[in-house]
Amino acid sequence: MSWQSYVDEHLMCDLGDGHTLASSAITGTDGGVWAQSSAFPQLKPGEVKDIMKDFDEPGYLAPKGLHLGGDKYMVIQGEPGAVIRGKKGHGGATIKKTGQALIFGIYEEPVTPGQCNMVVEKLGDYLIEQGL
């Protein structure tokens, strides 16, 4: 399966109520894009470095926020070293780290944070099981 298929079929899937994530992507831990949905923001190099630093030093992003394509998200509860979650207005983002990749999901209402977390983290857990 191609990386684009993982984005199209697993991250941008119908969440059971006719809704999907607003955008998603799979990148390397260096920020290189492996695959993304059409609406995924262009990440800036410093944003990926900050995300990786937060995975190494949980809480690093909390004071300044999570930035994705210049948009600022308030960092909310995640899983230290494994998952970063952010909230912005009526939406938010979930980022799951695997051994080699970052899985991004961005949502807007009516999609819930839990739906986004489930889709992103399920794919991330699968890729971890596959050694990726």
Side-chain angles (χ1 to χ4, degrees):
M1 182 176 283
S2 74
W3 291 114
Q4 192 62 49
S5 294
Y6 282 112
V7 169
D8 297 341
E9 297 172 20
H10 296 279
L11 294 174
M12 298 303 294
C13 63
D14 182 332
L15 297 171
D17 54 7
H19 298 101
T20 66
L21 296 180
S23 65
S24 63
I26 302 172
T27 73
T29 55
D30 63 354
V33 176
W34 295 1
Q36 66 183 28
S37 65
S38 60
F40 191 76
Q42 177 72 40
L43 297 178
K44 299 176 181 179
E47 294 172 343
V48 175
K49 287 179 185 169
D50 284 348
I51 290 165
M52 290 305 296
K53 186 159 185 168
D54 192 83
F55 281 123
D56 292 337
E57 300 173 28
Y60 171 78
L61 285 175
K64 64 187 203 171
L66 166 67
H67 291 82
L68 300 175
D71 289 337
K72 182 178 180 180
Y73 294 76
M74 178 178 63
V75 178
I76 55 175
Q77 169 258 337
E79 296 172 28
V83 178
I84 297 170
R85 297 186 182 110
K87 181 83 175 132
K88 177 180 161 256
H90 296 290
T94 303
I95 307 166
K96 171 79 174 180
K97 181 180 179 286
T98 73
Q100 301 174 29
L102 298 174
I103 315 300
F104 292 85
I106 297 175
Y107 68 93
E108 291 292 334
E109 285 185 342
V111 173
T112 67
Q115 288 174 306
C116 183
N117 296 342
M118 181 189 67
V119 169
V120 170
E121 294 175 39
K122 185 176 178 182
L123 179 58
D125 290 342
Y126 170 77
L127 293 176
I128 290 168
E129 289 172 11
Q130 302 307 306
L132 299 166

